[in-house]
Amino acid sequence: DGGITQSPKYLFRKEGQNVTLSCEQNLNHDAMYWYRQDPGQGLRLIYYSQIVNDFQKGDIAEGYSVSREKKESFPLTVTSAQKNPTAFYLCASSISGQSNSPLHFGNGTRLTVT
Amino acid sequence: AQSVTQLDSQVPVFEEAPVELRCNYSSSVSVYLFWYVQYPNQGLQLLLKYLSGSTLVKGINGFEAEFNKSQTSFHLRKPSVHISDTAEYFCAVSPLYREKLTFGTGTRLTIIP
């Protein structure tokens, strides 16, 4: 079955440490996205990529970095510069990145930083 | 820029009763509209989408939504809910010619047995 795999499901880190969240898709989708979800705030876009080796900042990119070296993979690094990193992180993909393409989501990674 | 408002953060409904989850949007250009559902500790799944054509859109799990351009609304409805419909529902809007999806803050639907 095609889909998006996010790992791990739960992640715990100490403050000051960088951490990388994995996202892999086998849907052959061109576009991939990272969202952050906090209670009562909906989803906010961190970064997105419409093609390999290219990505753009979303609304809340500060303290995060990404790479897109392969079509299937779009890892997100939460750096120590992110002031409030504890959140639920969702990776998504779409066929083309055009505005009428629905998103397909992974099951998320819940990051807790103490 | 566009925005999405889901006025009801929580909606409790008795099992087998009808439900309407409200979504209003604002945008200076024409938009595509989406409803997504999120079950506990999972990602989001597409329920339905309005791209063009008939303003009444049918989706999965018996849900439907009606696009009302004059009222800038895209309310989600189901005539009879089940316990399995307990989830959080997100409305989202994207302008036609620019890839920029904006989500509402979500409505948590709780089904009362």
Side-chain angles (χ1 to χ4, degrees):
Chain A
D1 275 346
I4 299 179
T5 301
Q6 289 189 244
S7 60
K9 190 172 178 66
Y10 298 96
L11 193 52
F12 298 89
R13 279 294 183 271
K14 295 284 191 188
E15 197 173 316
Q17 293 179 335
N18 291 355
V19 60
T20 297
L21 282 59
S22 169
C23 177
E24 304 279 331
Q25 56 104 353
N26 61 4
L27 298 166
N28 199 32
H29 285 178
D30 286 328
M32 296 187 75
Y33 310 80
W34 275 105
Y35 287 90
R36 171 181 171 137
Q37 185 177 19
D38 297 282
Q41 295 195 45
L43 278 71
R44 293 182 289 169
L45 182 63
I46 304 172
Y47 268 98
Y48 65 102
S49 166
Q50 294 185 306
I51 195 169
V52 174
N53 291 324
D54 188 42
F55 47 82
Q56 285 77 42
K57 293 182 180 180
D59 300 320
I60 55 165
E62 186 176 348
Y64 300 97
S65 66
V66 293
S67 63
R68 185 90 186 273
E69 297 176 2
K70 298 186 299 182
K71 187 174 184 177
E72 306 79 33
S73 179
F74 192 41
L76 173 75
T77 297
V78 184
T79 74
S80 56
Q82 165 52 230
K83 291 185 172 53
N84 186 17
T86 294
F88 189 50
Y89 291 88
L90 287 162
C91 179
S93 70
S94 68
I95 291 176
S96 64
Q98 293 182 5
S99 55
N100 61 352
S101 292
L103 299 183
H104 297 252
F105 284 84
N107 282 329
T109 292
R110 190 168 297 279
L111 173 65
T112 303
V113 177
T114 56
Chain B
Q2 69 270 12
S3 66
V4 180
T5 302
Q6 293 182 248
L7 284 172
D8 305 308
S9 59
Q10 297 188 57
V11 173
V13 180
F14 284 103
E15 194 173 11
E16 297 183 9
V19 68
E20 179 179 85
L21 305 184
R22 297 181 294 168
C23 173
N24 287 86
Y25 69 93
S26 71
S27 177
S28 56
V29 299
S30 296
V31 295
Y32 298 122
L33 294 153
F34 305 84
W35 275 99
Y36 287 87
V37 60
Q38 184 180 34
Y39 300 103
N41 294 312
Q42 293 187 25
L44 281 69
Q45 302 173 32
L46 181 69
L47 263 183
L48 48 80
K49 62 183 184 287
Y50 172 78
L51 302 182
S52 65
S54 172
T55 56
L56 183 63
V57 180
K58 295 192 183 297
I60 62 171
N61 300 340
F63 283 94
E64 64 181 31
E66 186 154 22
F67 170 51
N68 188 319
K69 190 174 182 178
S70 62
Q71 296 188 7
T72 60
S73 67
F74 191 52
H75 301 331
L76 181 70
R77 301 186 184 102
K78 186 169 182 177
S80 174
V81 295
H82 302 110
I83 292 286
S84 59
D85 293 323
T86 297
E88 190 152 22
Y89 293 80
F90 291 92
C91 183
V93 61
S94 182
L96 258 61
Y97 301 112
R98 182 164 170 258
E99 199 273 310
K100 172 66 175 166
L101 188 64
T102 300
F103 284 88
T105 52
T107 297
R108 187 171 300 278
L109 177 62
T110 302
I111 309 302
I112 305 165

